Structure formats: structure tokens, C-alpha cells
Amino acid sequence: MKMTKTTNFFCLLLLVSSKSSQSFFLPSKTTTIARMTGKRSGSSELFMNKKKKKPTKKKSGGAVGKGFGATAPIASLSSPSPLSMFPYAGSIRPGIQTPQKVVLDSSIAMPDYALDGKPKKKGQILPWIIEVKTPPEIERMRASGRLAREVLDLAGRAVRPGVTTDEIDNIVHGATIKAGAYPSPLNYHNFPKSCCTSLNEVICHGIPDDRELQEGDIINIDITVYLNGYHGDCSEMFYVGENPDDKTKLLLQTTYDSWVSAMKFVRPGNDYNGIGGIIEDHITKFGFSTVRQFCGHGIGSVFHTTPNIHHYRNNENSGKMDVGHTFTIEPMICEGSAKSITWPDDWTATTIDGKRSAQFEHTLLITPDGVEALTGKIETSKLQFWEQDSEVHKGFWLGTSKAAKEREAEINRKVLEG
């Protein structure tokens, strides 16, 4: 996901809960640091930005954020003050966070920001200049994408009433480390957790904490793993409990269908700026809006790079699609206003009116004959109602290339008939 500052970075994460669950910690490979001091081990601060600002309600403007975390004031990661005057828009509030983990296993390749929170390797500066991956790089991208999918499926199976988002984060962290990878969000611009969990009105960048999931919640879990030098990035919605109401079904179904419609557009020679119009045209028919502040992004050895994928109609020169490009499409669709406010934690972005938001994300690879979802679902993935009921594409969507379609048909025969 794209995690954003107002400069040249990218992002996407959200708020959640955190109850300590030591069973998912791997003491032989990780340790933790006390968060209440506001410091990581050593002298680097646990905060993302350096400039302090008064907490104010911030609206998304014309410029699109490009990094992990929109502009926001600095805040301590300790428990929030009950006297806080911040104008929260909905019912979700920040909870108490457990200490930030640090990966110590020297056998795991770590991104260049793992220790100090500062990414050093930069992507392309011009938005229309896009890296073409070599065959060896593509194979590494396939491996990281597959692992991201496996971790996301594992996290999704934990979603149920009473589970905290911090417990989900522990599952994600433990599974990623066990697979020999690094959880990409951890300490990216000082983000304190290993995944993003965005509940209800949270658009993105939700930080796992001690809030328990409740019947009727909707949650986006955003997973990125760094395996052998390459990132794989995906997210999915989950409904907490059983039998969602019609309003919930419509939001999730519309978001999913707009996403799949946009991915079907991807092929060599098409303009990247054509993606947003497909999404916006689909969702506005149902009275929804699409977020402009956050965008999809190129991905590879760099977490966030070109192309910028805007999820609304636009004329930006974002370049042309070509074989070997890898990037994400990840629309954020809202029941009401698509404008956002950012919490004092410097990360959590919610709708300005407190109404709900939904999102899906794949890492995609452009091939000579279409596109493949490198984070596509696998045989053991859960079939969601929006996949089963979709009028855009029934069953799992794995791409439009010949190889992707063959793999998709084989898996869907088992999934849909089972």
C-alpha cells in the first residue's frame, strides 16, 4: 500500500487494536522495545515526522499523497489521553499499543529502513518513468507476492468478534518472520506495527492496538512482506461475524467489482491514467465516492515507486503500461464523503464524516498477453460472498494472461463447486 508524506513517499495503513499475545512472538528471532519512552533501541525516535503541529481536522486537498502516512502532527504511541480534544469523525478511537518489535535474525534480508525508519533507496522521480523487471526479479516478485497472500489469508482466518487487531498483527509478524521474510510496514517511516488494520470509517493506515473486533465491523487487513529483497503487497476486506446487512454488502460488493473492472483494463500499451475513470464510473452509480488523497503505486525492491495509480478520473501523465511493470491497484471507496482527516498518531486516516470505507489490493505484473495478480488467491484461500456473487467476475480473479486464466479456472472449479 502507498504510505504517504507530502514529499515523494508512498503509503497506506490504518487504526486498530492491540492485546499482547506472546504466543505469536518469536523470542529467538525478535525482541521488543519499550514504547512508553517514545524511543527505539538506540537514539532514533519512534515518530514519523519531525515537525510538530497542533492537531487539526485535515481535509484531503488536490495534491495526492504518495507515501506511508499523510501529513499529520506527531503523537506519542502510548495510550491516548481521555481528555483529547481531537475531532474524531466516527466511533473508532485509538487504543493502547504494545511495544514495537525489532527483527534481530541476521538470516533475514531487511529493507534499508528497518533500523532507523528512513528509506534510502529511491524510485524514479519522473512519474512516467517506470522500472521494467527482469525475469529473475519477476521470480522474486512472485515469491514475495505468494507469501503476502499466505500471510493475508492467515490473518483473515483470525477475524472474529473479540479478537484484537494487535493479536492479528502478532500473527502477521510471526508468520512473516517464520517464512524468512521481513514485515515491510514495520518501522517504515517509523510505522510501529507489522501490518495495517483499518476498521469501519478508517480509510487506511490503521495501527493495530487493543480494540476488540465487534460483530458487524468491517476491517481491511493490509499485508506487505519483504522477501529476498522484494516486496509483495496486498489487502482484503473481512466482515466480522455473520450475515452482513444490505448496506454492508453493497459497499463491499461495489468496491470489489470496481477493483476487478480496473484490473481487467491492464495490458501493454494502455495508459495508467485510464484506471481511475473505470473505478469512479462504477462506484458513483451506487452513490459511493473514491478517495483522492491516497493512491496505488509501483513496487519491487523499493516499497513505493512509480507509477502512481489514481483511483479517480484524471489526466495525469502516469506513463503507459508495459511488459515487466509491477504495481498495485487499491481503491478506497466510501459510503459518504471521500475527504479524510488524519489522527494525531500521524498515520490513521478516516473519512471526514465518520461513514465507512472499503478497499482491496493486489500486486500486479504486466505480461505480453495481459496481467497477473502476483498476490492472487490460492487453493486454500477463503471464498468471500463478493467473489461468489459478483456480476463482474465470479470466483477468484487471478488475471487475464493465458497462464493466469488456466490457473484461475482450475482453482475456481474446486472453490465454486466445493
Side-chain angles (χ1 to χ4, degrees):
M1 231 170 237
K2 217 170 221 183
M3 306 176 99
T4 167
K5 280 187 174 181
T6 51
T7 57
N8 219 7
F9 304 117
F10 302 71
C11 102
L12 192 72
L13 281 131
L14 144 77
L15 140 85
V16 287
S17 315
S18 98
K19 208 178 250 183
S20 178
S21 179
Q22 296 296 331
S23 61
F24 295 108
F25 289 3
L26 301 179
S28 63
K29 295 185 177 181
T30 64
T31 186
T32 58
I33 53 176
R35 176 175 43 76
M36 302 299 289
T37 63
K39 303 275 186 179
R40 286 178 58 87
S41 54
S43 60
S44 61
E45 295 184 356
L46 190 58
F47 309 131
M48 186 176 74
N49 294 336
K50 298 299 181 185
K51 295 180 180 178
K52 293 186 178 181
K53 302 177 183 178
K54 293 181 180 180
T56 56
K57 182 175 288 190
K58 286 182 282 190
K59 300 179 181 180
S60 58
V64 175
K66 295 180 181 179
F68 202 131
T71 310
I74 292 176
S76 171
L77 294 179
S78 59
S79 63
S81 168
L83 301 178
S84 172
M85 297 302 291
F86 184 80
Y88 295 99
S91 62
I92 303 297
R93 296 291 184 274
I96 298 173
Q97 297 173 26
T98 53
Q100 181 174 340
K101 301 178 184 69
V102 177
V103 177
L104 298 179
D105 187 347
S106 60
S107 69
I108 293 176
M110 292 189 288
D112 58 12
Y113 54 81
L115 297 180
D116 63 5
K118 300 175 182 178
K120 286 80 176 173
K121 190 173 182 180
K122 308 297 183 183
Q124 300 293 336
I125 297 177
L126 298 176
W128 56 86
I129 304 298
I130 302 162
E131 179 186 32
V132 175
K133 303 296 189 300
T134 65
E137 289 176 316
I138 290 172
E139 289 310 304
R140 290 192 176 191
M141 291 289 294
R142 288 188 189 280
S144 62
R146 168 76 182 217
L147 177 58
R149 164 52 53 190
E150 292 172 352
V151 173
L152 179 56
D153 287 354
L154 186 64
R157 286 195 285 272
V159 172
R160 61 185 179 277
V163 171
T164 69
T165 50
D166 190 62
E167 289 175 300
I168 292 173
D169 182 76
N170 285 336
I171 292 170
V172 169
H173 185 88
T176 304
I177 298 300
K178 185 177 180 180
Y182 182 92
S184 303
L186 183 61
N187 210 30
Y188 182 74
H189 293 295
N190 302 125
F191 187 78
K193 294 293 180 178
S194 297
C195 69
C196 298
T197 51
S198 303
L199 284 159
N200 300 337
E201 72 266 20
V202 181
I203 295 171
C204 61
H205 305 161
I207 302 175
D209 59 27
D210 69 343
R211 183 191 184 276
E212 294 182 354
L213 299 180
Q214 301 172 13
E215 182 89 23
D217 284 340
I218 59 173
I219 180 173
N220 176 273
I221 302 177
D222 192 344
I223 302 296
T224 312
V225 301
Y226 184 75
L227 178 65
N228 296 326
Y230 287 80
H231 299 275
D233 190 359
C234 56
S235 81
E236 186 172 352
M237 296 301 299
F238 298 92
Y239 179 76
V240 182
E242 304 292 337
N243 303 318
D245 60 26
D246 289 343
K247 284 185 63 177
T248 301
K249 284 185 175 181
L250 182 60
L251 174 62
L252 297 179
Q253 190 71 65
T254 302
T255 303
Y256 177 79
D257 286 346
S258 72
W259 177 56
V260 173
S261 297
M263 291 190 293
K264 286 185 173 184
F265 172 74
V266 177
R267 64 182 61 88
N270 281 353
D271 291 324
Y272 279 107
N273 64 14
I275 291 171
I278 294 171
I279 293 169
E280 187 166 18
D281 287 350
H282 185 90
I283 60 104
T284 52
K285 293 184 296 185
F286 299 93
F288 297 130
S289 61
T290 178
V291 172
R292 293 171 174 249
Q293 184 179 358
F294 303 101
C295 57
H297 54 91
I299 187 169
S301 59
V302 176
F303 196 169
H304 300 103
T305 183
T306 56
N308 298 331
I309 307 300
H310 305 286
H311 304 117
Y312 56 91
R313 187 172 298 282
N314 69 93
N315 294 314
E316 297 291 333
N317 184 1
S318 299
K320 283 190 177 291
M321 301 176 190
D322 202 357
V323 177
H325 289 181
T326 54
F327 62 100
T328 71
I329 298 178
E330 45 184 302
M332 290 142 275
I333 307 304
C334 304
E335 288 181 318
S337 174
K339 293 181 179 180
S340 69
I341 58 174
T342 303
W343 284 6
D345 64 20
D346 219 10
W347 287 105
T348 307
T350 77
T351 58
I352 198 169
D353 55 12
K355 294 185 178 180
R356 295 178 300 179
S357 180
Q359 178 193 25
F360 294 89
E361 176 185 17
H362 271 324
T363 294
L364 303 170
L365 165 70
I366 300 179
T367 66
D369 58 343
V371 62
E372 294 183 22
L374 297 180
T375 51
K377 289 198 166 182
I378 55 181
E379 294 85 350
T380 56
S381 298
K382 179 182 178 180
L383 179 69
Q384 303 273 26
F385 75 77
W386 46 82
E387 294 163 328
Q388 191 163 13
D389 299 342
S390 177
E391 295 182 1
V392 173
H393 184 87
K394 192 171 292 294
F396 296 163
W397 186 90
L398 300 185
T400 61
S401 69
K402 181 181 178 181
K405 286 182 176 178
E406 290 175 350
R407 190 166 61 253
E408 175 188 284
E410 181 180 353
I411 295 176
N412 278 336
R413 273 195 298 271
K414 300 174 183 178
V415 172
L416 295 173
E417 295 173 3

